[in-house]
Amino acid sequence: MEPAELVVFKLVLHFLKTVLLKCFQKLSIAFLSLMEGLSMRGTEQDDVATFDQLSAHWWEPNGQMKLLHKLNKLRVPMVVEGLIKAGKLDRKQRHTTDPLKGLTILDVGCGGGIYTEALAKLGAYIVGIDPAKHLIEVAKAHVATQPDLKERCHYEEVSMEEHAPQHVGKYDVVVLSETIEHVVDKSLLLKNVATVLKPGGSVFITTWNKTTWAWTLAVVVLEIIMKRLPRGSHDYEKFISIDDVEAMLEGYNCRTIERRPFYLKFWVDEWIWVPFEKMTYAVHAIKE
């Protein structure tokens, strides 16, 4: 056994480390807000305006939305694999060109349609919603150039609060990718997700964890230093932990069956699955 003095020393050291990290985070936010003009407590309307301004560059593979394009490598296969695990798809469908055929999907916060179109290409009938007018215009314009998709991929300029009451129990799948961190009332958002899901339907969420490490990567490294993400597009106060997401989903009768952390190798712009939850994560839950 370790001497009592050593145990106490380690506990005190851990406490001091925790305090210093929290102080560093708060001081860094204050300093960067002052020096860089960041809006660390932006409203949802601010977020909509920010992404509206980026609409013209949404479909540039190497533009400011490059990381969203790259994220499809993880989030699209996760939907297929998750539905196989949930018993909604046969394992053999993994290797077909249209594994999502016959499924109805809602993409909440679809932006210009990068994720939406990728799921439509796998055979799904999908609706993308977003309150950002210019982004929906971009999404509609782009899908209009895809004759094999335009009959199965539709977009609406609408919020989830407006959409949900009109589509109770309609969807087999709801996806929220890089969306929940831009919403203030996350509980209401997830309540509406549960409302539109069919019993046995799946929800897939990807977002930033609420940690100092996540804030450092998203805001300091990717927004300010490397400029890989739009300036001001992330607000630490809106980040949410994986445990809180799971608890909220449980409150609306959606049971989490998988939680998968992932990470950005920002030096090569590649998203990878990892065994730690410090940065970003994906959650798959089923409505019971």
Side-chain angles (χ1 to χ4, degrees):
M1 291 181 62
E2 295 181 335
E5 293 82 359
L6 182 58
V7 173
V8 172
F9 174 76
K10 288 184 175 180
L11 289 173
V12 172
L13 190 63
H14 177 74
F15 171 76
L16 291 174
K17 179 182 176 182
T18 301
V19 171
L20 285 172
L21 278 173
K22 288 187 178 294
C23 288
F24 169 76
Q25 173 192 308
K26 292 182 181 298
L27 288 172
S28 297
I29 290 174
F31 174 75
L32 289 170
S33 295
L34 178 65
M35 300 303 293
E36 300 290 343
L38 291 175
S39 174
M40 301 307 294
R41 292 178 179 271
T43 65
E44 288 178 35
Q45 289 74 23
D46 291 335
D47 286 347
V48 169
T50 296
F51 289 108
D52 247 343
Q53 293 170 9
L54 296 164
S55 58
H57 307 287
W58 209 264
W59 280 95
E60 295 174 2
N62 293 307
Q64 285 186 285
M65 294 298 107
K66 179 180 181 179
L67 296 183
L68 279 184
H69 287 272
K70 293 278 189 176
L71 189 54
N72 276 357
K73 179 182 176 181
L74 298 188
R75 59 186 179 178
V76 174
M78 184 184 178
V79 171
V80 176
E81 294 296 330
L83 293 175
I84 289 173
K85 291 177 184 177
K88 293 298 181 180
L89 296 180
D90 186 277
R91 193 168 296 276
K92 296 177 183 178
Q93 291 176 263
R94 176 193 290 120
H95 305 295
T96 64
T97 57
D98 57 354
L100 301 180
K101 185 177 181 180
L103 295 180
T104 302
I105 299 178
L106 176 67
D107 184 0
V108 182
C110 64
I114 294 170
Y115 193 18
T116 324
E117 283 196 18
L119 294 172
K121 286 178 180 178
L122 297 184
Y125 176 90
I126 186 163
V127 176
I129 64 171
D130 201 293
K133 177 181 179 179
H134 297 308
L135 287 179
I136 290 297
E137 290 174 350
V138 167
K140 287 180 176 180
H142 193 272
V143 80
T145 68
Q146 315 292 314
D148 57 328
L149 299 183
K150 58 185 181 181
E151 296 302 318
R152 289 182 285 104
C153 187
H154 301 273
Y155 296 100
E156 298 177 18
E157 180 196 339
V158 67
S159 69
M160 188 57 175
E161 289 78 11
E162 296 167 312
H163 187 79
Q166 308 301 321
H167 299 85
V168 176
K170 175 180 178 178
Y171 298 101
D172 299 292
V173 177
V174 176
V175 295
L176 298 95
S177 185
E178 313 312 301
T179 297
I180 196 170
E181 70 267 30
H182 300 293
V183 175
V184 174
D185 194 339
K186 303 176 195 311
S187 182
L188 178 60
L189 173 64
L190 296 180
K191 178 182 179 181
N192 285 324
V193 166
T195 295
V196 301
L197 272 176
K198 297 177 181 177
S202 289
V203 53
F204 294 88
I205 298 171
T206 62
T207 188
W208 294 90
N209 207 345
K210 191 159 189 175
T211 66
T212 301
W213 298 106
W215 174 81
T216 301
L217 177 60
V219 178
V220 179
V221 176
L222 296 178
E223 286 191 24
I224 298 173
I225 298 175
M226 301 187 73
K227 304 185 188 305
R228 299 287 176 83
L229 292 175
R231 176 69 62 83
S233 59
H234 291 93
D235 177 347
Y236 179 77
E237 294 302 318
K238 294 180 189 170
F239 285 13
I240 183 169
S241 73
I242 191 168
D243 291 331
D244 285 346
V245 163
E246 190 170 344
M248 287 182 188
L249 288 168
E250 188 73 26
Y252 297 116
N253 207 31
C254 294
R255 176 176 55 89
T256 297
I257 65 167
E258 184 176 25
R259 39 194 279 174
R260 296 187 69 179
F262 59 100
Y263 175 67
L264 176 67
K265 294 168 67 176
F266 56 86
W267 54 97
V268 292
D269 290 335
E270 181 183 359
W271 297 97
I272 58 171
W273 298 115
V274 291
F276 53 86
E277 298 177 344
K278 295 291 186 183
M279 301 292 186
T280 40
Y281 61 87
V283 167
H284 174 201
I286 296 177
K287 180 179 177 180
E288 296 182 325

